[in-house]
Amino acid sequence: RDRKQGYLDALIERGIPVRDELIVEGDWLEASGYLSTQRLLAQEVDAIFAASDKMAIGALRALREANRRVPDDVAVVGFDDLDEASTTNPPLTTVRQPIRRVGEMAVENLLDALATGESAAQRLILPTQLVIRGSCGALAPDT
């Protein structure tokens, strides 16, 4: 939900109209990224932002099978920075989350709740990092 809202906010901030036909829901898995990309190919898209790296990997496969070159014809960006993101062809540009820190904070909050007997719902937003690799067509900042 937050990733989709971020996409919508970015379009609105730049005065780009939201086109509902370019938003394809998936289930975070490679197969849904593959199937969603097949649907998007009919729209002549030039970029795909997948909500997970697994879906982006499926998108890369669908684009390869459709003879679309990444990033020349279609740029692809994922989200999560899974280990396999750096080994795809081309390497996947992605958004890295501090997954380890999220786990640590969850355990800390649980232990605090157990120790005090109090539990309060918390919403924490941790910083993310854009990891630029070959699938987006941009140069990494240090190149």
Side-chain angles (χ1 to χ4, degrees):
R1 182 180 51 186
D2 291 337
R3 295 172 195 192
K4 180 180 178 182
Q5 191 59 54
Y7 166 75
L8 296 172
D9 291 346
L11 291 177
I12 292 165
E13 286 173 15
R14 288 160 183 79
I16 300 170
V18 174
R19 292 178 48 200
D20 290 332
E21 69 272 17
L22 298 181
I23 301 172
V24 181
E25 303 282 335
D27 66 4
W28 307 94
L29 301 177
E30 185 175 337
S32 74
Y34 177 86
L35 294 171
S36 296
T37 298
Q38 287 182 320
R39 290 180 52 198
L40 289 171
L41 284 170
Q43 302 292 327
E44 296 295 324
V45 298
D46 57 11
I48 294 173
F49 181 81
S52 74
D53 285 351
K54 291 283 189 187
M55 291 176 71
I57 290 167
L60 290 173
R61 183 167 54 95
L63 292 166
R64 189 171 37 255
E65 288 178 9
N67 294 316
R68 302 285 176 89
R69 297 169 301 150
V70 175
D72 299 327
D73 300 328
V74 182
V76 177
V77 177
F79 202 106
D80 293 323
D81 196 25
L82 299 178
D83 289 340
E84 56 261 52
S86 65
T87 62
T88 60
N89 185 17
L92 183 62
T93 296
T94 186
V95 177
R96 179 181 297 148
Q97 301 184 90
I99 298 295
R100 177 181 216 89
R101 184 64 189 134
V102 169
E104 290 170 352
M105 292 177 76
V107 170
E108 289 169 7
N109 288 336
L110 177 61
L111 292 174
D112 287 346
L114 291 171
T116 63
E118 298 177 16
S119 63
Q122 294 185 27
R123 180 178 170 104
L124 302 170
I125 298 175
L126 300 177
T128 58
Q129 176 187 3
L130 178 63
V131 180
I132 298 174
R133 297 190 181 110
S135 69
C136 72
L139 295 176
D142 59 350
T143 58

